[in-house]
Amino acid sequence: MTRRTEWPDSAGFGSAAGDAENRSRRNRGAAPEEDGAVRDGGGSLPSRAGSGPPRTPEEQARAICLRLLTGSARTRRQLADALRERGIPDEAAEEVLARFEDVGLIDDAAFADAWVESRHHGRGLARRALARELRTKGVDSALIDEAVGRLDAEQEESTARELVARKLRTTRGLDRDKRLRRLAGMLARKGYPEGLALRVVRRALEEEGEDPDLLGHHLPDA
């Protein structure tokens, strides 16, 4: 992969909201807000430490989004769904979501990059599985293609080999066909195509001394 995007942690995301808003204020020639200050009107983002309950739908929407983003990064669609579930009017939700995009608190491209980086290296998921997960989170298909496209075929196969190498020991003692099904099935669940899965598993079993002529080129019947 050619670009690495840092995944925001839960401890830093709340301060990121204030930092982004302060940068926006400086660009407009206004002074940064003090930490914990309550900001109303003018499209500013409220602090999580507000002194009273939000009054307008926009204030409620801002508070909801900040609370959700403090836990983890979210896509625009995820936040829009959360606002709709809480009864925020569409017009107010759209205004707040657009504002959050302006200050960089919603960035679906960065979310997709970080998701691919985290889930591929952490869970070994292949491009197909990663794309499926991002679609369920409402990421635009063009952004998905761009993020997933940074995983090339060589990297995907390398990760598949590592997964099989870690799992191989636990299959020793099983018959050949069962080992082949179990290892290839593990890769299939992580989104690897059947052809790639079989090639990687056959190579690993051959290196352990299995006869390549007995391994076949298709999964044996269950």
Short mmCIF file of all heavy atoms in Angstrom, two decimals, residues 4 25 51 67 86 103 108 123 161 169 181 186 190 197 199:
data_model
loop_
_atom_site.label_atom_id
_atom_site.label_comp_id
_atom_site.label_asym_id
_atom_site.label_seq_id
_atom_site.Cartn_x
_atom_site.Cartn_y
_atom_site.Cartn_z
N ARG A 4 -0.46 5.52 4.08
CA ARG A 4 -0.95 5.05 5.37
C ARG A 4 -1.69 6.18 6.06
O ARG A 4 -1.17 7.27 6.20
CB ARG A 4 0.22 4.59 6.24
CG ARG A 4 -0.23 4.04 7.59
CD ARG A 4 0.97 3.62 8.42
NE ARG A 4 0.53 3.06 9.69
CZ ARG A 4 0.28 1.79 9.88
NH1 ARG A 4 0.41 0.94 8.89
NH2 ARG A 4 -0.11 1.35 11.06
N ARG A 25 -11.63 28.92 12.76
CA ARG A 25 -11.79 30.28 13.29
C ARG A 25 -10.59 31.15 12.94
O ARG A 25 -10.73 32.31 12.60
CB ARG A 25 -11.99 30.24 14.81
CG ARG A 25 -13.35 29.66 15.21
CD ARG A 25 -13.46 29.57 16.74
NE ARG A 25 -13.33 30.90 17.34
CZ ARG A 25 -14.32 31.76 17.46
NH1 ARG A 25 -15.51 31.47 16.97
NH2 ARG A 25 -14.14 32.94 18.04
N SER A 51 -23.01 23.61 29.12
CA SER A 51 -23.57 23.87 30.44
C SER A 51 -25.04 23.52 30.53
O SER A 51 -25.61 23.50 31.62
CB SER A 51 -23.38 25.36 30.79
OG SER A 51 -24.04 26.17 29.80
N ARG A 67 -20.50 13.30 20.18
CA ARG A 67 -20.45 12.17 21.11
C ARG A 67 -20.10 10.87 20.38
O ARG A 67 -19.29 10.08 20.85
CB ARG A 67 -21.81 12.02 21.81
CG ARG A 67 -21.83 10.93 22.89
CD ARG A 67 -23.05 11.05 23.78
NE ARG A 67 -24.29 10.87 23.02
CZ ARG A 67 -25.17 11.84 22.76
NH1 ARG A 67 -24.92 13.08 23.20
NH2 ARG A 67 -26.26 11.60 22.09
N ARG A 86 -32.68 9.46 15.93
CA ARG A 86 -32.95 10.28 17.10
C ARG A 86 -33.94 11.41 16.80
O ARG A 86 -34.12 12.31 17.61
CB ARG A 86 -31.64 10.84 17.66
CG ARG A 86 -30.77 9.77 18.33
CD ARG A 86 -29.33 10.21 18.44
NE ARG A 86 -28.51 9.29 19.19
CZ ARG A 86 -28.01 8.15 18.70
NH1 ARG A 86 -28.29 7.79 17.46
NH2 ARG A 86 -27.26 7.37 19.46
N VAL A 103 -14.92 21.08 8.36
CA VAL A 103 -13.81 21.19 9.32
C VAL A 103 -13.03 19.89 9.44
O VAL A 103 -12.11 19.79 10.26
CB VAL A 103 -14.32 21.64 10.71
CG1 VAL A 103 -14.97 23.01 10.63
CG2 VAL A 103 -15.25 20.61 11.33
N ASP A 108 -14.89 10.61 4.58
CA ASP A 108 -15.12 9.23 4.19
C ASP A 108 -13.92 8.62 3.46
O ASP A 108 -13.68 7.41 3.56
CB ASP A 108 -16.37 9.12 3.31
CG ASP A 108 -17.66 9.18 4.12
OD1 ASP A 108 -17.58 9.35 5.35
OD2 ASP A 108 -18.74 9.07 3.51
N ARG A 123 -6.78 -8.12 10.61
CA ARG A 123 -7.62 -9.31 10.48
C ARG A 123 -7.31 -10.13 9.23
O ARG A 123 -7.85 -11.21 9.05
CB ARG A 123 -9.09 -8.88 10.43
CG ARG A 123 -9.59 -8.18 11.68
CD ARG A 123 -9.75 -9.15 12.84
NE ARG A 123 -10.65 -10.25 12.47
CZ ARG A 123 -11.99 -10.18 12.51
NH1 ARG A 123 -12.57 -9.05 12.90
NH2 ARG A 123 -12.72 -11.22 12.17
N ARG A 161 -0.72 -16.10 2.50
CA ARG A 161 0.30 -17.08 2.90
C ARG A 161 0.58 -17.02 4.39
O ARG A 161 0.75 -18.05 5.05
CB ARG A 161 1.58 -16.86 2.10
CG ARG A 161 1.48 -17.25 0.63
CD ARG A 161 2.87 -17.42 0.02
NE ARG A 161 3.67 -16.22 0.12
CZ ARG A 161 3.71 -15.26 -0.82
NH1 ARG A 161 2.97 -15.39 -1.91
NH2 ARG A 161 4.46 -14.20 -0.67
N ARG A 169 -0.48 -25.37 11.50
CA ARG A 169 -0.13 -26.26 12.61
C ARG A 169 -1.36 -26.89 13.24
O ARG A 169 -1.35 -28.05 13.66
CB ARG A 169 0.67 -25.48 13.67
CG ARG A 169 1.11 -26.31 14.86
CD ARG A 169 1.93 -25.47 15.83
NE ARG A 169 1.17 -24.30 16.27
CZ ARG A 169 0.25 -24.33 17.24
NH1 ARG A 169 -0.01 -25.46 17.87
NH2 ARG A 169 -0.37 -23.22 17.60
N ARG A 181 -9.69 -28.34 2.78
CA ARG A 181 -10.98 -27.64 2.91
C ARG A 181 -10.94 -26.62 4.03
O ARG A 181 -11.44 -25.50 3.88
CB ARG A 181 -12.10 -28.65 3.18
CG ARG A 181 -12.51 -29.48 1.99
CD ARG A 181 -13.86 -30.14 2.23
NE ARG A 181 -13.88 -30.93 3.45
CZ ARG A 181 -13.54 -32.22 3.50
NH1 ARG A 181 -13.14 -32.85 2.41
NH2 ARG A 181 -13.60 -32.87 4.64
N MET A 186 -11.03 -21.04 5.44
CA MET A 186 -10.64 -19.90 6.26
C MET A 186 -10.33 -18.69 5.39
O MET A 186 -10.77 -17.56 5.68
CB MET A 186 -9.42 -20.29 7.10
CG MET A 186 -8.86 -19.17 7.98
SD MET A 186 -7.54 -18.23 7.14
CE MET A 186 -6.25 -19.48 6.97
N LYS A 190 -12.50 -14.82 4.63
CA LYS A 190 -11.85 -13.51 4.70
C LYS A 190 -11.85 -12.79 3.35
O LYS A 190 -11.23 -11.75 3.20
CB LYS A 190 -10.42 -13.66 5.22
CG LYS A 190 -10.38 -14.08 6.70
CD LYS A 190 -8.94 -14.21 7.18
CE LYS A 190 -8.91 -14.61 8.66
NZ LYS A 190 -9.39 -13.52 9.53
N ALA A 197 -6.93 -18.89 -2.98
CA ALA A 197 -6.93 -19.69 -1.75
C ALA A 197 -6.35 -21.08 -1.99
O ALA A 197 -5.50 -21.56 -1.23
CB ALA A 197 -8.35 -19.79 -1.19
N ARG A 199 -4.38 -22.08 -4.44
CA ARG A 199 -2.96 -22.00 -4.81
C ARG A 199 -2.08 -21.86 -3.56
O ARG A 199 -1.05 -22.55 -3.42
CB ARG A 199 -2.74 -20.83 -5.76
CG ARG A 199 -1.29 -20.72 -6.24
CD ARG A 199 -1.14 -19.71 -7.36
NE ARG A 199 -1.34 -18.33 -6.92
CZ ARG A 199 -2.40 -17.59 -7.22
NH1 ARG A 199 -3.38 -18.10 -7.94
NH2 ARG A 199 -2.48 -16.35 -6.80
#
